[in-house]
Structure formats: C-alpha cells, structure tokens
Amino acid sequence: MGQSVSLRKPPKNEAGDGSMTSSSLSKYSRRAYHAGSWYDADKSALDATLTKFLADASKNSETHTAKGIPRACICPHAGFSYSGPTAAYSYLALKEALERNPSICTIVVLHPSHHVYLESAALSGAGTIETPLMNLEVDDALRDKLLSTQKFQIMDQRVDEHEHSGEMQYPFIGKILTSVCPQREVKVLPIMVGSIRTNKEESYGKLIASHLADESVFTVISSDFCHYGQRFGYTPRPRHSEQHINEVYEYIEYLDRKGMDMIELQRPGAFADYLREYSNTICGRHPIALWLHAVLTNRENGTEELDVRFVRYEQSSRARSNNDSSVSYASAVARFVTGN
C-alpha cells in the first residue's frame, strides 16, 4: 500500500487520562495539494467543469424516482477528467440530501491510504480544508467524540495532503455546498482507513455506526474499483465456468459487479469472501467494508435501515489484453428505507 510512516498518536490532555480534544491539536490548513494536476486550480474553470458533470449526470439520473433521503454515497477518486463524470452521480445524492434534510451539518469522508501503511484509522488533523471553490471547516465536535475512544490516530499535514482519495471529494463537496446551501454551516471530517484486517473493519464499523446513523451526518466513501493491467499487478483471466466472457473489459466489469452486488446486499462478510476469492484491486475496500459493518450494525439494532444501489459504472478504457490497463469507477447511493 505504501511506505511505513508513523502517524501522530493523540497527545494526552491536561488531565493526563489519555483522551484529548481538537483544541489540543496543532491544526493546519490543508492545502489543495493536487489542484492544477488532478483537477483545475482555477476557480472559474473548476466550477464550470463540475457544473457540466452534474448537469450531464442529472439528465441520465433516476434519483427523481427514488423515495428515501440519501444518507451516503460511494464515489471514485481519480483525476476529474477520468472519474469526474461518474462521481457526479454520487454528488447528486448529496445535493438531494441537503435539499431534503436541513439538519445535515457534517459530511464524513471515509477514504483509503495509498502512501502510508496504516493498521488502524486516522482522523485529519486539519482545522480547514482548502479547495479552489471554498474552504471547508473540519468538525471538531465529531473529531473529539472519535478521539475520546482512543482508537484513532491523527494525520499530520504531509500525510493528509499527499493522499488524493480524500482530496478528490472536497471540490465536489464545495461545489454542492455553494450551490445548495451557501449560508448553511456544513463541516467535514476526513477519516483515513488503513489496511486493516476484517476484525478491525468490524470493530471500527461498530464504533462509528451510531455517528453515521445520526441524521445530521452524510457519509462519502471514497473508492475506485478494479485496477487492471501489468502496472497494477492484476491481470486475471476468466475461469473455466466463466469462459463465456470474451473480452477483458467485460471480465473486469463482471468482477466489479460481483463485488458491487455484495455491497448492495450490505453483507460485509460476503464482500470479504469475494475479495479473498478474486483479489480485486478495489483500493477503497477497507473504507467500504468498515462502512458496511456500520450499516449492518445500525440495521441489526433497529437504528437505521438503508437501501444501497449502484447508479453508474464506467471504465477509464476498454482493456482487450493484459498489455492494456484500466481503472473502474462506480457510484452508489445509500438511501433511508421508508415505510410502506
């Protein structure tokens, strides 16, 4: 996953009991580190790009037929020229959620770690997250609640800024907030989920389940799907029972949709079995699994029941041989299940 780098452990508070608050942190302003390369650094150009992505997605979206208020979305995180059109389908759900639920005041962003080896989860240490469109404030109150569990580490500024999977969500969030509720105070809390084992995915999911079920919280889970090609070290071929699949790009979609089916069924155990069987290179598999455990916990204790549906799927290119490469992008929306 990347080099081993020590993240900061939260310092003890003045009481010396091991707990701490955001006021104890040396907070920083997280720069838009990938602006100018992964997306436009110019405010007007970026706004125009995102406006077009959202307009195009709205023309093809079926959100108007859905009933439940959106509570979460799974969203890709590649450069906007690649995954932006797909990501827009997820952010139509955030737009709808903000319009229909005026109590939303926090957007939690669960994202993977591409550069730092992490066997736990880490909270952003930022006070502010910069984007070319607007600056996003970090939710100190929710960060404090999670820090009080003493289960979370803190990202330092370098780790935070170098990780693109969180950053690629922030311009879209800023765009939606400025469009829907420019006068409303909505904060964010990025959570980096490391390469944790399935038992830790479950424990962290249970730990944050009640927070994600709070009606004031909307959750964004950042993930791309299959990374195919020799440069990714992943070139699977159809098995004997799958010989009816002729093209490589068709097999990639077949693999992705098997995983997407497990996510829609909200079965974290089955999703883990699928990953063990196929080793699909879904970079956000740990944030997805953690979130699935939270969803399952909330459903089992009667707190909240969600309906999860994938609404868009694309590939960066159509691979036809193992000399080709592609990355898959998928958007999903989780909606509150309403009564009949």
Side-chain angles (χ1 to χ4, degrees), residues 203-318:
S203 62
Y204 273 107
K206 290 180 176 179
L207 188 65
I208 69 172
S210 63
H211 300 295
L212 301 190
D214 190 310
E215 68 174 356
S216 69
V217 173
F218 184 92
T219 307
V220 174
I221 305 96
S222 180
S223 182
D224 293 334
F225 275 69
C226 181
H227 296 61
Y228 179 90
Q230 294 181 6
R231 71 189 186 102
F232 298 117
Y234 189 67
T235 55
R237 305 298 298 174
R239 302 174 183 185
H240 180 72
S241 61
E242 301 163 342
Q243 292 300 314
H244 61 285
I245 305 173
N246 296 317
E247 296 286 356
V248 171
Y249 67 86
E250 292 174 337
Y251 188 57
I252 292 170
E253 180 169 355
Y254 169 82
L255 294 178
D256 281 333
R257 291 200 179 276
K258 287 182 77 70
M260 292 157 65
D261 287 346
M262 296 302 101
I263 294 169
E264 287 188 340
L265 291 172
Q266 304 168 45
R267 295 175 57 191
F271 183 60
D273 290 341
Y274 154 80
L275 290 171
R276 278 191 288 268
E277 181 176 359
Y278 289 97
S279 300
N280 195 357
T281 46
I282 302 173
C283 56
R285 57 193 177 276
H286 298 294
I288 290 172
L290 184 156
W291 175 71
L292 287 176
H293 278 291
V295 170
L296 178 62
T297 297
N298 288 326
R299 185 175 75 241
E300 290 181 340
N301 64 25
T303 302
E304 180 180 66
E305 184 175 353
L306 301 180
D307 175 76
V308 181
R309 301 287 175 90
F310 278 87
V311 295
R312 192 70 174 180
Y313 175 83
E314 297 288 348
Q315 295 173 6
S316 61
S317 61
R318 288 196 164 191

Side-chain angles (χ1 to χ4, degrees), residues 162-179:
H162 281 240
E163 179 53 55
H164 66 274
S165 63
E167 180 172 335
M168 298 310 294
Q169 309 308 325
Y170 307 144
F172 261 113
I173 292 172
K175 170 62 176 176
I176 297 300
L177 292 181
T178 56
S179 300

Side-chain angles (χ1 to χ4, degrees), residues 176-198:
I176 297 300
L177 292 181
T178 56
S179 300
V180 177
C181 49
Q183 304 304 318
R184 192 159 134 200
E185 186 178 54
V186 179
K187 299 182 178 181
V188 298
L189 182 62
I191 304 176
M192 176 189 285
V193 182
S195 299
I196 54 179
R197 296 181 181 273
T198 52

Side-chain angles (χ1 to χ4, degrees), residues 30-92:
R30 186 200 184 282
R31 298 169 297 173
Y33 187 81
H34 296 84
S37 53
W38 292 58
Y39 58 92
D40 283 309
D42 179 76
K43 179 178 180 178
S44 297
L46 177 59
D47 184 73
T49 296
L50 298 183
T51 296
K52 184 179 188 306
F53 289 160
L54 291 164
D56 290 346
S58 183
K59 294 176 185 177
N60 300 313
S61 177
E62 298 180 356
T63 54
H64 64 280
T65 64
K67 295 181 180 179
I69 294 176
R71 299 287 292 120
C73 64
I74 296 174
C75 187
H77 56 234
F80 283 166
S81 62
Y82 294 98
S83 69
T86 302
Y89 286 81
S90 295
Y91 280 100
L92 288 178

